[in-house]
Amino acid sequence: MQLTGDRFTAEAASFGNDLSTLPNFPAEIRAPAGTLPGVSSFQLHFANYDILTPGDAPDVLVAMNPAALKANLPDVPKGATIIVDTGDFTPRALKKVGWDTNPLEDSTLSAYKVHALDLSGITMEALAPFELSRKDASRSKNMFALGLLSWMYGRSIDGTVRFLQEKFASRETIRDANIAALKAGWNYGETTEEFAVSYEVKPAAMPAGIYRNITGNLALAYGLVAAARQSGLPLFLGSYPITPASDILHELSKHKRFGVRTFQAEDEVAAIGAALGASFGGALGVTTTSGPGVALKGETVGLAVSLELPLVVVDVQRGGPSTGLPTKTEQADLLQVLYGRNGESPVPVVAASSPSDCFDAAIEAARIAVTYRTPVFLLSDGYLANGSEPWAVPDVDALPTINPDFAHELNYDGDGEHAFWPYLRDPETLARPWAIPGTPGLEHRIGGIEKLDGPGTISYDPSNHDRMVRLRQAKVDGIAGIPDLQVDDPSGEARMLVLGWGSTYGPIGAAVRRARKAGHNVAQAHLRHLNPMPANTGDVLKSYDRVLVPEMNLGQLALLLRGKYLVDVVGYNRVRGLPFKAEELAEVIVEEVGSL
Amino acid sequence: MGAPGLAGVPTADAPQTKKDFTSDQEVRWCPGCGDYAVLAAVQGFLPDLELARENIVFISGIGCSSRFPYYMNTYGMHSIHGRAPTIATGLAAARPDLSVWVITGDGDALSIGGNHLIHALRRNVNLTILLFNNRIYGLTKGQYSPTSEQGKITKSTPMGSLEAPFNPISLALGAEATFVARTIDSDRKHLTSVLSAAAAHRGTSLVEIYQNCNIFNDGAFEILKNRDSRDEVLIRLEHGEPVRFGADGQHGVRRNPATGALEVCDGDDPGLVVHDITADDPTQAFALSRLADPGTLARSPIGIFRQVERPAYGDLMNQQLDDAVTAQGEGDLQDLLRGKDTWTVG
């Protein structure tokens, strides 16, 4: 089902629609078919205008079995089209999901336009000449459904035909059967009178450029490759497989010709340790993980804070605590990445706001890490990781340059001493020199024990420790190049601001549009830098009568804003493993505005 | 030198001395600690490798021995408890032009860092790991360690420890290590010869060093060091030689035909096993490691147990990078970003 979704997305993308997707699948690899927990779905929203979310309520639901119908029906608005494969609507399958009677035969679906088709049967028939096993033939029904949908929306299936030719190049029968099923689905739509209407969704008006479709994990991986190129540093990824971050490891492991080294470690601790070791040696050290992995890496992040070496730690957040909901989204690691370490351990945090923003956010995280010699957390989440949207392919010549500025010379003169001091800071950035092994004359030792300000030798002196704690904090607080928080308020008269961070950007934007359409003045702003926050953040918050902060956690950003800026923000918090729905958020916004 | 373990590491322009490898930091181990002897041996032997000093890196974990890098005038990192092999792995894989050393102890390497140690050995990263084994936790002031003998009375085990100790050599051999050796802090000559062989080996070299903690576990290896007892209990392994020990070689080691295990016999027994460090099969090396009594360490073999060739992890990784460039050319970022499925908007 995920593959079918991917292909329909690709067809919509190459037609030029704007789009947004939400793959949703169980954590189990082969969850029992036909059960409610086993349902895997792929939601695609495409339009001829710019869109921000995968949509709240689908106009068309394709359900391949009773479980899929039952699991998704609550999201489908009355009047929508439902295409059902009746092949699996046996009494046994119905019973498995708790239906005593067949919903296709009673009044359950009376409010919908239902097309009950024996997709399995038709597909089998279409594939009879191929003499496939029943199992293989039945698998092709997804391609039949894709062909049918492609016809309904006037999408070319040429791209998918090419895709199938490549994917099954070595298995001719499977290849031909899938192509035949795809074409049969298209032809079925065109020749039967079952579908009286087909829909036309024109290309969206987007700024000129070359576009492609991209998921957050892919964009993030590309951002890391780009950051390595822009800094001239070889990329070293230390990673341990974990959902939903593993695809970044998979992707980067393909790019060895870019000098990318990927190391699949024995555990999360080794993964970040190797990345930090590579950083010590002058690489762009990166580790990728999800929340439980961050918990394990905490001590090494603390070491990186003390060593003041560049390191990018990617946290693709998922539902927690503990194993939680591995395949579902959440943004409840904010406080963990900010404060989940011993001692005063300040770490910059950058959060991507959309799948394509993962590319730029990765470059920004690397810029801060390299320039300020510090570990940086880059936050994504399950929704961004697997969701996709069109992306204007950037011109690589226009990407920012990152300067590692390695140390080559002795840097200290005094008391008759001509020496290299590894903790003699740049007065402007407070960054320390990065002298990598192999540089003659700059041999030095660093470690997790507190260091004397300047020479960097071990120091247990109380006032030195107090000074070093403050210096490390001041270095992070003083990070430059963070743009001011931009407020979007077309009316100029809004008294309420909706402030978000991370992947809620799309749903909040869509909800704000709805509220404005309904005649309400609402301002919107989004935080990309969570530490340090943009310099004007406090002023912006204080200029509104009310600040609403929707988060997929129990109010973590809200806590920070209240603590830092003494502003009584209002939270809206849901932790359901799914992104916010625009309609739901719009209602909350309208209600809050109305109460002012 | 031209030794495989050091291939690719730049050589020094001029001869170096022990002084060149001595940092300006005051050494702060307890007076009488066995670590001093190891430090002196390493500082004294490194000039022989003729490597550029700036291309040598010492990485350590946490524990008394892990202060070692501060005293070496090379690059160095004092990292986190148990994690030194991970940091060294990343560094060695990313930088084939460095000679990377790991300094660790029995608690650091075998307790909190046990997982990283076995995986470094399995991968065969080009590292030299010096495992200072004093059979006690020193830095935390005297608790039993994973190599302490069972029944050990310590601060945390007033009625005696309950656990069977690890035999680090057996562990390393079981973890697919390609170079495994044991030596003793007090035997400078033996220590130096083992270190030379370890540095020359390409891949992970594990050297267990019996090291005396004179504060919390004094005399732990006395039986192996004392003139009166050592010849009877210390087995010096020599490649290609029959395994014999005793002042006059009056004891030997042979294979028990019934069990396959090794056993002590007379030195003139016709069935003495001949030590072969290059044997592909680690069975005999493992059996030799089992000769030592886990409690008293009587019949402890010292020397090189195993030294076999297997491609080093970093070399394989770098080869894949080269192969990818050969097959597909260097990566073009713009092409990568554009991908295959694009569309153009006016």
Side-chain angles (χ1 to χ4, degrees):
Chain A
M1 191 44 69
Q2 299 301 318
L3 174 69
T4 314
D6 274 339
R7 288 315 312 165
F8 197 49
T9 303
E11 290 175 6
S14 55
F15 187 72
N17 292 136
D18 195 12
L19 61 88
S20 174
T21 66
L22 175 63
N24 194 1
F25 44 89
E28 295 76 17
I29 302 302
R30 295 278 181 266
T35 63
L36 290 174
V39 171
S40 165
S41 70
F42 191 103
Q43 189 167 318
L44 166 65
H45 183 193
F46 60 102
N48 65 348
Y49 53 88
D50 80 304
I51 50 176
L52 301 167
T53 74
D56 294 355
D59 296 315
V60 180
L61 171 70
V62 182
M64 301 307 263
N65 57 36
L69 178 62
K70 185 157 193 188
N72 290 288
L73 199 54
D75 289 336
V76 183
K78 307 271 185 259
T81 299
I82 298 180
I83 301 171
V84 176
D85 177 12
T86 59
D88 264 350
F89 275 64
T90 59
R92 191 157 163 265
L94 290 167
K95 198 155 190 169
K96 228 187 226 178
V97 298
W99 265 328
D100 293 327
T101 58
N102 189 340
L104 302 177
E105 291 163 3
D106 60 25
S107 61
T108 309
L109 303 177
S110 56
Y112 305 94
K113 281 177 267 176
V114 179
H115 301 280
L117 312 169
D118 183 8
L119 287 178
S120 308
I122 304 171
T123 307
M124 298 288 227
E125 217 161 288
L127 299 185
F130 293 95
E131 294 178 350
L132 291 172
S133 71
R134 212 184 148 71
K135 197 170 153 197
D136 282 338
S138 144
R139 273 188 185 156
S140 305
K141 72 182 176 186
N142 286 343
M143 283 300 129
F144 185 95
L146 177 60
L148 177 57
L149 276 182
S150 301
W151 174 82
M152 282 176 72
Y153 286 93
R155 293 288 171 276
S156 163
I157 54 173
D158 295 349
T160 301
V161 169
R162 273 197 304 279
F163 169 84
L164 292 169
Q165 278 166 345
E166 272 178 39
K167 184 174 169 72
F168 297 114
S170 58
R171 294 152 73 194
E172 285 179 19
T173 317
I174 302 283
R175 176 196 68 195
D176 295 345
N178 273 293
I179 293 172
L182 179 72
K183 288 183 174 167
W186 172 283
N187 294 337
Y188 185 86
E190 193 160 65
T191 52
T192 63
E193 292 178 2
E194 173 79 30
F195 300 91
V197 200
S198 68
Y199 302 86
E200 189 185 354
V201 181
K202 290 189 172 145
M206 295 202 257
I210 297 170
Y211 285 80
R212 63 174 288 175
N213 191 45
I214 200 155
T215 64
N217 272 348
L218 186 58
L220 203 154
Y222 285 176
L224 293 172
V225 176
R229 176 190 187 262
Q230 296 307 101
S231 60
L233 303 174
L235 182 61
F236 186 100
L237 174 73
S239 187
Y240 186 74
I242 184 169
T243 304
S246 303
D247 279 340
I248 304 171
L249 165 64
H250 303 159
E251 183 62 33
L252 288 175
S253 65
K254 294 181 199 163
H255 301 304
K256 300 192 196 308
R257 66 196 188 112
F258 286 84
V260 176
R261 289 178 175 84
T262 55
F263 170 65
Q264 182 178 315
E266 62 270 23
D267 62 25
E268 296 282 0
V269 181
I272 187 173
L276 184 59
S279 280
F280 183 57
L284 177 60
V286 178
T287 188
T288 48
T289 188
S290 186
V294 172
L296 287 164
K297 293 179 196 293
E299 191 183 15
T300 311
V301 177
L303 177 64
V305 168
S306 178
L307 299 181
E308 303 194 40
L309 281 173
L311 181 69
V312 175
V313 184
V314 178
D315 177 3
V316 186
Q317 301 164 94
R318 67 189 213 187
S322 189
T323 304
L325 305 172
T327 59
K328 311 293 178 189
T329 197
E330 204 163 281
Q331 50 179 179
D333 289 352
L334 179 58
L335 294 182
Q336 175 179 228
V337 301
L338 280 169
Y339 300 118
R341 290 173 299 284
N342 63 308
E344 295 289 350
S345 175
V347 175
V349 180
V350 177
S353 57
S354 72
S356 59
D357 185 47
C358 287
F359 178 81
D360 299 304
I363 296 176
E364 173 64 354
R367 174 190 77 88
I368 294 174
V370 170
T371 309
Y372 293 89
R373 326 303 202 201
T374 175
V376 174
F377 270 105
L378 171 57
L379 293 177
S380 173
D381 64 28
Y383 170 49
L384 298 182
N386 293 316
S388 62
E389 65 178 357
W391 179 47
V393 177
D395 174 4
V396 296
D397 294 332
L399 294 176
T401 306
I402 299 170
N403 182 9
D405 193 20
F406 288 132
H408 295 286
E409 308 287 337
L410 302 181
N411 61 356
Y412 176 77
D413 269 304
D415 308 328
E417 194 189 353
H418 191 42
F420 176 67
W421 279 15
Y423 281 77
L424 194 62
R425 295 169 191 280
D426 179 295
E428 199 175 311
T429 61
L430 295 182
R432 74 175 191 89
W434 189 8
I436 64 171
T439 314
L442 305 192
E443 295 85 357
H444 63 281
R445 277 66 54 192
I446 54 179
I449 298 185
E450 185 61 280
K451 288 157 288 288
L452 186 61
D453 181 17
T457 49
I458 292 179
S459 167
Y460 296 110
D461 176 59
S463 60
N464 176 73
H465 177 56
D466 187 80
R467 187 161 62 250
M468 289 295 275
V469 166
R470 291 173 197 280
L471 277 169
R472 287 186 288 259
Q473 184 67 49
K475 181 177 80 167
V476 171
D477 290 345
I479 289 171
I482 296 177
D484 267 354
L485 185 61
Q486 298 294 315
V487 177
D488 173 49
D489 177 17
S491 70
E493 291 175 4
R495 292 169 58 205
M496 185 175 96
L497 172 74
V498 188
L499 179 70
W501 68 278
S503 75
T504 54
Y505 176 74
I508 292 175
V512 165
R513 278 186 195 171
R514 284 178 185 227
R516 285 175 187 158
K517 249 188 204 163
H520 303 279
N521 292 330
V522 185
Q524 187 197 353
H526 207 73
L527 281 171
R528 195 156 171 264
H529 292 85
L530 279 306
N531 190 34
M533 291 186 196
N536 67 334
T537 305
D539 292 341
V540 168
L541 296 181
K542 285 172 184 152
S543 62
Y544 290 89
D545 295 337
R546 183 153 308 168
V547 178
L548 176 68
V549 181
E551 294 180 83
M552 295 186 290
N553 59 44
L554 294 184
Q556 299 194 4
L557 176 63
L559 177 75
L560 296 171
L561 297 176
R562 284 162 169 250
K564 280 177 86 84
Y565 302 112
L566 296 177
V567 172
D568 186 17
V569 304
V570 178
Y572 179 71
N573 309 94
R574 289 291 181 275
V575 276
R576 298 172 306 183
L578 290 166
F580 287 117
K581 293 191 173 183
E583 186 183 357
E584 157 202 9
L585 268 186
E587 277 172 24
V588 175
I589 290 169
V590 169
E591 197 176 311
E592 283 294 334
V593 174
S595 71
L596 279 175
Chain B
M1 288 273 298
L6 306 170
V9 182
T11 50
D13 296 337
Q16 302 169 115
T17 65
K18 180 179 176 188
K19 203 164 160 244
D20 292 312
F21 287 93
T22 306
S23 81
D24 61 356
Q25 295 297 295
E26 184 191 348
V27 184
R28 294 194 196 172
W29 287 311
C30 307
C33 176
D35 290 353
Y36 284 96
V38 185
L39 177 65
V42 172
Q43 288 171 336
F45 129 92
L46 275 181
D48 298 343
L49 297 182
E50 298 173 4
L51 299 177
R53 194 160 49 94
E54 63 270 20
N55 286 71
I56 300 176
V57 185
F58 280 83
I59 311 265
S60 64
I62 295 290
C64 292
S65 60
S66 288
R67 297 295 180 96
F68 196 100
Y70 289 115
Y71 310 133
M72 299 295 304
N73 193 17
T74 63
Y75 283 88
M77 188 198 294
H78 178 210
S79 74
I80 323 176
H81 203 21
R83 317 306 177 193
T86 72
I87 290 164
T89 292
L91 180 62
R95 291 287 304 273
D97 61 325
L98 302 179
S99 170
V100 182
W101 297 66
V102 171
I103 305 293
T104 184
D106 42 319
D108 193 57
L110 299 173
S111 207
I112 191 168
N115 195 35
H116 306 309
L117 179 72
I118 59 175
H119 286 280
L121 295 170
R122 172 177 72 83
R123 287 193 186 100
N124 205 31
V125 187
N126 194 26
L127 306 172
T128 303
I129 303 178
L130 308 187
L131 195 171
F132 293 43
N133 182 6
N134 57 17
R135 310 190 83 187
I136 199 78
Y137 280 89
L139 194 67
T140 51
K141 299 191 168 60
Q143 300 84 9
Y144 75 104
S145 92
T147 55
S148 296
E149 63 277 18
Q150 196 165 21
K152 181 98 177 161
I153 308 276
T154 71
K155 276 184 186 155
S156 59
T157 51
M159 293 173 69
S161 64
L162 305 173
E163 302 161 27
F166 264 140
N167 178 328
I169 302 293
S170 304
L171 183 84
L173 289 168
E176 310 292 345
T178 54
F179 183 102
V180 183
R182 175 188 286 144
T183 184
I184 303 184
D185 58 0
S186 55
D187 188 340
R188 173 78 171 265
K189 201 173 144 211
H190 190 266
L191 180 62
T192 304
S193 76
V194 167
L195 289 179
S196 298
H201 177 71
R202 194 154 196 90
T204 309
S205 309
L206 180 88
V207 180
E208 181 192 16
I209 304 170
Y210 282 160
Q211 172 255 325
N212 191 44
C213 171
N214 58 323
I215 305 295
F216 295 109
N217 203 18
D218 196 23
F221 308 100
E222 191 54 27
I223 183 179
L224 305 175
K225 296 181 177 181
N226 189 298
R227 269 174 205 287
D228 298 333
S229 59
R230 68 183 181 196
D231 291 338
E232 280 299 305
V233 292
L234 194 63
I235 305 174
R236 289 176 177 270
L237 298 173
E238 298 288 346
H239 175 60
E241 299 292 326
V243 180
R244 273 201 196 92
F245 64 107
D248 306 311
Q250 69 272 37
H251 309 303
V253 173
R254 69 175 179 198
R255 187 173 296 282
N256 180 315
T259 66
L262 296 184
E263 61 187 15
V264 173
C265 59
D266 285 343
D268 55 5
D269 191 288
L272 293 187
V273 297
V274 175
H275 186 44
D276 179 8
I277 59 176
T278 63
D280 232 20
D281 187 323
T283 307
Q284 184 169 301
F286 186 81
L288 284 168
S289 78
R290 307 308 292 171
L291 283 172
D293 178 90
T296 64
L297 300 183
R299 298 192 308 274
S300 278
I302 64 167
I304 301 169
F305 285 75
R306 185 170 206 233
Q307 182 179 346
V308 297
E309 282 182 30
R310 194 171 84 225
Y313 180 83
D315 294 339
L316 294 173
M317 178 185 262
N318 291 311
Q319 187 62 49
Q320 284 196 340
L321 264 56
D322 291 345
D323 290 349
V325 171
T326 306
Q328 306 161 295
E330 283 196 17
D332 180 299
L333 184 63
Q334 190 69 67
D335 282 354
L336 176 72
L337 301 187
R338 192 180 290 122
K340 285 184 195 162
D341 284 327
T342 58
W343 69 95
T344 304
V345 174

